[in-house]
């Protein structure tokens, strides 16, 4: 049994070599939030204790993705490929929750209907993950079936041991390939690792606690309580912004927008973009408005203007249902990885865990 | 009539190799004094001045100004009727307030203040009293026309000083032609 | 106890059927991952007298509850009681002035306030340092303060009566949980970092409002342009700022309009337009409650923009603002004597302002 490890200094030396061939994406600590970003040197990497505030999702499902460009000459319209960059890249320092979220995205974008843009990004990525030593303040991954050191969707897994060393686990063939190229930077020895990192006290507490809720119980309750006064109570304070959905690593709803982006004298040109959308927004399920309605342009727009989710509690219900019931029905997986970003970012303090615990209690009460 | 093309290119053309692209918002009243400028079918391809006719200067929403820059303008001019001359009685005051504070806000956000100008037009009192535009055009033009031409020339040179509109709005596709 | 008084009053109002809804701050406790007990403050909507026991008033009650007054479901109530600090009451005044709510439909439970915590690791919210309304100027019922005045002088982390690390959920910072290591980089990351200003920009979140405006004044036009480009490249257009604002109540926001589309989506250009237009739409209306900046998940300095807008309006027009006066943008005497031509710039731009303005930033 071989134990592999790499020291921080070796990593520091490895990075410039990698930069010659790959893009490297790593967590950085910005002015007030942390996020993943393309880095150009080892010093830019932020070795955070927990996950970043902004999820890794934007590197697989960009907030603004060009689908095609169009150009009109007279009555003919020409389409062209957009200028997208799909260079091979390495994501360094991904957390188990962010990587597990990719399973959710894969189900939507690369199982039955293959989304070319997403698959291109997915195939061009090598994931070097980092297991968690301490839980974040709002983490609840264990309750949704994710473990803080699991290696789902990772290619190589790093575990912090001591100050300067990482234990290295090769998870996939891609990871092993990578290792074989760069093995000079790693240390290998036979036998079990005698210096397996001891679990931190915080992590021990986190793992030992009872699960906060049981997702099967949640699903059962959701199956039978579509109409219930509970939803209005929970959603009363929701302001309908997109903070929770945009910062969620598994949320993937999108919208399309056509932009005219060129100057008038260069001929009409435009771009179609796919952008993030949120089920919390009022216009999410708004069908297009008929010709005489507000915001229409003559006969160009014609539609019923129908909106079924008229109030915020319906939209809130949709969010919970989608994550914990509909996605389970369709794909046998909960669309939540328990990272807790939605809890920490909500402007009015709506807590997903509180909602789910309440459902749990309601289930057992009746 | 109003030699806009000449103004844009006249004095300064020899000094620089690019023409500032201007968008001018004219209210209906102002447009009576330069019918030539309104004939945008001729101007839009040859000239670097694009005119947009609005019912009143008060119609000019700040988003229009941002949109102009987005679409490639280097400078924006808004002309309004002088005090008490507005045919909607208070439209020009609306414009005055809105645009004055908006311009300072844009300055704060890093836009060059030389790119946005507003001004009273030459007085149209004559045109209005005459009841119809046509007979009075030459008259008011001859009285206010030279002033008008000078004003636009001055503004265009200020915009030119400020330079081509910078990469504030990074469009994906580069500007074609200047 | 302040909270008990508050609960009594709320109960009275509901019992006597004077109001059908009380909107206030609710206190809840939750066990965190490290087994510590966390106090959570969050908005609460009470329609039954028995539910008033959760009502509370303390220094963690930072939300501006007047944002709920613009909702259809809330407006459908006959009469509402609302807990409001001095700063919140300002927003209510603007709503009354703009005919969004009627004064008689509201029972304002005014809260004497000596500071609320914005981001718990940085002490009190910035707005509290320049507060004019510690005792609310308009109210129906007055609740005394529970805060300690002297803490307002020096911002420092509050000791929590509950133990643990003293962090309170429900006052989200939108920031990462852990202390960050590694070199700080800017959002745009395209090499447009401004070395000269980066040290100050890194501390923007903690700077005093006047210091921030000062810093912007000292920058040149190009530097300001780069600053805002960097900031808005981080914007994810979640619209938390717009949705939490009590004064953004348009049924159809211009940012949502797609035919014609005025504000582009999914680009820096669109982000700039959105924020500039939103700020402009709040000219002379924004009451600087600071909610927009607090809720931004990306930590954009939106208060800075709105505060500057207020300053611009004040410097250019010195308007009268207040309940009895017509809103600024509707109010124009015929002979205001001000020309429609170029206004003096109030940004000190050395390279081009021909007339030096001596008007500095007023404190």
């Amino acid at each position: 049994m071989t134990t592999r490890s790499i020291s921080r200094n070796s990593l520091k030396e490895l990075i410039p070599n990698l930069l010659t061939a790959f893009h490297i994406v790593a967590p950085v600590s910005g002015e007030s939030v942390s996020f993943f970003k393309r880095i150009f040197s080892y010093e830019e990497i932020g070795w955070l204790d927990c996950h970043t505030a902004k999820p890794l999702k934007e590197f697989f499902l960009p907030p603004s993705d060009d689908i095609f460009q169009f150009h009109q000459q007279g009555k003919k319209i020409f389409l062209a490929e957009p200028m997208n960059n799909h260079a091979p890249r390495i994501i360094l320092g991904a957390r188990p929750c962010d990587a597990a979220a990719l399973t959710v995205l894969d189900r939507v974008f690369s199982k039955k209907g293959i989304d070319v843009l997403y698959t291109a990004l997915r195939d061009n990525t090598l994931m070097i993950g980092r297991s968690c030593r301490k839980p974040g303040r709002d983490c609840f991954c264990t309750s949704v079936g994710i473990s803080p050191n699991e290696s789902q969707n990772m290619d190589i897994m790093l575990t912090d041991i001591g100050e300067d060393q990482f234990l290295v686990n090769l998870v996939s063939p891609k990871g092993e390939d990578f290792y074989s190229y760069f093995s000079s930077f790693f240390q290998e020895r036979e036998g079990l690792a005698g210096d397996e990192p001891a679990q931190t006290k915080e992590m021990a507490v986190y793992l030992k606690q009872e699960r906060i809720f049981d997702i099967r119980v949640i699903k059962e309750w959701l199956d039978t309580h579509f109409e219930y006064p509970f939803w209005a109570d929970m959603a009363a304070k929701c302001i309908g912004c997109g903070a929770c959905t945009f910062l969620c690593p598994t949320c993937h709803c999108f919208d399309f927008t056509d932009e005219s982006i060129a100057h008038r004298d260069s001929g009409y040109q435009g771009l179609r973009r796919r952008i993030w959308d949120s089920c919390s927004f009022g216009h999410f399920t708004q069908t297009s408005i008929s010709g005489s309605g507000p915001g229409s342009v003559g006969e160009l727009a014609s539609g019923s203007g129908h909106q079924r989710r008229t109030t915020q509690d319906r939209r809130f219900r949709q969010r919970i249902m989608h994550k914990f019931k509909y996605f389970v029905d369709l794909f046998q997986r909960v669309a939540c990885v328990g990272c807790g970003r939605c809890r920490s970012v909500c402007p009015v303090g709506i807590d997903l865990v509180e909602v789910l615990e309440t459902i749990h209690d309601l289930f057992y009460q009746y | 009539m109003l030699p806009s093309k000449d103004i844009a290119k006249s004095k300064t053309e020899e000094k620089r190799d690019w023409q500032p692209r201007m968008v001018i918002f004219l209210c209906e009243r102002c447009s009576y004094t330069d019918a030539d400028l309104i004939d945008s079918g001729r101007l839009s391809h040859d000239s670097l001045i694009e005119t947009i006719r609005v019912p009143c200067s008060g119609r000019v929403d700040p988003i229009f100004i941002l949109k102009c820059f987005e679409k490639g303008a280097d400078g924006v001019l808004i002309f309004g009727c002088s005090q008490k001359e507005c045919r909607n009685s208070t439209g020009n005051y609306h414009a005055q307030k809105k645009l004055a504070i908006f311009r300072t806000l844009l300055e704060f956000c890093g836009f060059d203040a030389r790119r946005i100008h507003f001004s009273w037009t030459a007085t149209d009192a004559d045109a209005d009293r005459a009841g119809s535009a046509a007979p009075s055009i030459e008259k008011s033009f001859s009285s206010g026309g030279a002033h008008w031409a000078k004003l636009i020339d001055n503004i265009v040179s200020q915009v030119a000083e400020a330079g081509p509109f910078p990469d504030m709005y990074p469009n994906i596709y580069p500007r074609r032609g200047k | 106890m302040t909270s008990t008084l508050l609960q009594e009053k709320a109960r009275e109002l509901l019992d006597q059927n004077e109001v059908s809804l009380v909107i206030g701050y609710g206190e809840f406790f939750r066990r965190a991952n490290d087994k510590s007990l966390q106090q959570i403050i969050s908005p609460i909507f009470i329609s039954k007298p028995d539910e008033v026991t959760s009502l509370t008033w303390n220094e963690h009650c930072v939300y501006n509850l007047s944002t709920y007054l613009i909702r259809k479901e809330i407006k459908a109530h006959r009469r509402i009681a609302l807990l409001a600090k001095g700063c919140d009451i300002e927003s209510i005044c603007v709503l009354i002035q703009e005919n969004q709510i009627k004064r008689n439909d509201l029972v304002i439970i005014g809260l004497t306030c000596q500071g609320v915590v914005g981001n718990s690791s940085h002490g009190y919210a910035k707005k509290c340092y320049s507060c004019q309304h510690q005792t609310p100027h308009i109210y129906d019922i007055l609740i005394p303060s529970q805060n300690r005045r002297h803490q307002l002088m020096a911002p420092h982390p509050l000791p929590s009566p509950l133990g643990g690390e003293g962090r309170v959920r429900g006052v989200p910072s939108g920031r990462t949980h852990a202390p960050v290591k590694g070199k700080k980089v800017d959002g745009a990351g395209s090499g447009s970092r401004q070395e000269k200003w980066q040290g100050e920009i890194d501390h923007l979140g903690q700077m005093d409002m006047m210091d921030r405006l000062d810093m912007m004044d000292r920058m040149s036009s190009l530097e300001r342009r780069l600053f805002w480009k960097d900031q808005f490249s981080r914007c994810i257009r979640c619209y938390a700022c717009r949705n939490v604002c009590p004064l953004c109540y348009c049924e159809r926001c211009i940012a949502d309009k797609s035919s014609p589309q005025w504000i582009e989506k999914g680009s820096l250009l669109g982000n700039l337009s959105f924020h500039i237009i939103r700020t402009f739409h709040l000219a002379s209306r924004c009451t600087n409650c600071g909610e927009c900046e607090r809720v931004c998940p990306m930590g954009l300095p939106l208060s800075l923009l709105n505060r500057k807008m207020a300053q611009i309006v004040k410097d250019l027009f010195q308007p009268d603002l207040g309940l009895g006066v017509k809103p600024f943008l509707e109010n124009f005497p015929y002979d205001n004597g001000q020309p429609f031509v170029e206004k003096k710039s109030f940004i000190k731009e050395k390279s081009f302002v021909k007339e030096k303005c001596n008007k500095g930033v007023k404190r």
Side-chain angles (χ1 to χ4, degrees), chain C residues 257-275:
Chain C
K257 246 189 160 187
S258 59
S259 53
Q261 180 159 306
W262 289 110
I263 297 177
E264 200 177 305
K265 297 185 186 174
S267 66
L268 170 64
L269 178 162
N271 295 349
L272 268 163
S273 295
F274 172 69
H275 285 285

Side-chain angles (χ1 to χ4, degrees), chain A residues 132-188:
Chain A
C132 298
R133 302 266 292 140
K134 282 190 207 164
R137 192 188 71 175
D138 294 322
C139 290
F140 59 99
C141 56
T142 45
S143 304
V144 288
I146 313 269
S147 130
N149 48 19
E150 79 167 70
S151 46
Q152 210 181 94
N153 295 318
M154 302 282 198
D155 295 306
I156 297 177
M157 197 69 181
L158 301 177
T159 308
D160 292 58
I161 38 170
E163 279 298 308
D164 288 322
Q165 294 273 335
F166 292 108
L167 206 60
V168 174
N169 221 10
L170 302 177
V171 179
S172 75
K174 224 172 173 179
E176 283 167 17
D177 239 356
F178 175 86
Y179 182 82
S180 59
Y181 273 117
F182 296 103
S183 48
S184 55
F185 292 92
F186 294 81
Q187 292 103 47
E188 243 185 56

Side-chain angles (χ1 to χ4, degrees), chain A residues 329-340:
Chain A
D329 288 337
L330 288 170
F331 302 114
Q332 292 78 48
R333 229 224 97 91
V334 167
C336 175
V337 290
C339 65

Side-chain angles (χ1 to χ4, degrees), chain A residues 28-35 37 40 43-54 63-64 135-140 202 205-206 209-210 212 235-243 246-247 255 257-261 273 275-276 280-281 283 289 294-297 301 310-313 339-341 343-351 353-354 357, chain C residues 28 30-35 38 40-45 63 67-68 71 73-74 165 167-170 172-190 198 201-202 204 227 230-231 233-234 236-244 251-253 256-261 263-267 291 294-300:
Chain A
V28 300
S29 44
E31 282 152 32
S32 45
V33 287
S34 54
F35 48 91
K37 191 170 156 300
F40 298 93
E43 287 73 27
E44 288 177 43
I45 301 177
W47 297 101
L48 311 171
D49 280 347
C50 188
H51 56 68
T52 50
K54 224 176 158 192
S64 156
R137 192 188 71 175
D138 294 322
C139 290
F140 59 99
E202 295 93 329
V205 166
Y206 178 68
Q209 69 185 349
E210 286 169 26
I212 308 174
K237 53 198 188 209
C238 176
I239 58 173
C241 70
F246 286 2
L247 261 65
D255 191 8
T257 176
D258 287 338
E259 310 285 352
S260 76
I261 47 96
R273 278 189 186 135
I275 55 173
W276 286 355
S280 310
F281 287 158
H283 293 294
I289 295 172
S296 66
V297 185
T310 41
T311 49
Q312 198 59 40
D313 56 296
C339 65
R341 289 179 175 101
R343 302 165 81 190
S344 45
V345 89
C346 179
V348 289
I350 293 182
D351 186 351
V353 169
E354 185 193 328
E357 280 183 338
Chain C
F28 308 95
R30 204 148 288 286
R31 206 154 281 287
N33 276 333
D34 55 359
K35 297 291 184 196
Q38 282 193 335
I40 303 164
I41 303 286
S42 98
I44 192 172
F45 298 79
Y63 305 100
T67 187
Y68 294 109
R71 298 186 145 192
E73 309 89 72
I74 305 290
E165 51 168 348
R167 296 184 75 157
V168 175
R169 172 105 49 68
S173 58
R175 276 75 156 159
T176 187
H177 313 302
V180 289
K181 298 167 199 153
K183 193 170 169 201
K184 287 202 159 54
V185 292
D186 67 281
S190 54
Q198 203 57 40
I201 292 174
D202 279 345
L204 203 61
F227 171 78
D230 281 350
Q231 298 295 328
S233 62
R234 287 208 315 268
I236 53 175
R237 297 286 283 281
C238 66
Y239 299 126
C241 51
R242 178 193 74 180
N243 287 14
V244 85
E251 280 195 28
R252 251 191 94 120
C253 177
D256 289 333
K257 246 189 160 187
S258 59
S259 53
Q261 180 159 306
I263 297 177
E264 200 177 305
K265 297 185 186 174
S267 66
E291 287 284 87
R294 176 184 71 82
V295 304
C296 179
M298 295 290 120
L300 299 180

Side-chain angles (χ1 to χ4, degrees), chain B residues 5 10 20 22 32 40 43 78 92 112 130 133-134 153 162:
Chain B
K5 284 188 269 189
S10 59
M22 308 288 301
Y32 286 134
S40 51
L43 286 176
I78 297 130
N92 52 350
D112 199 321
D153 195 23

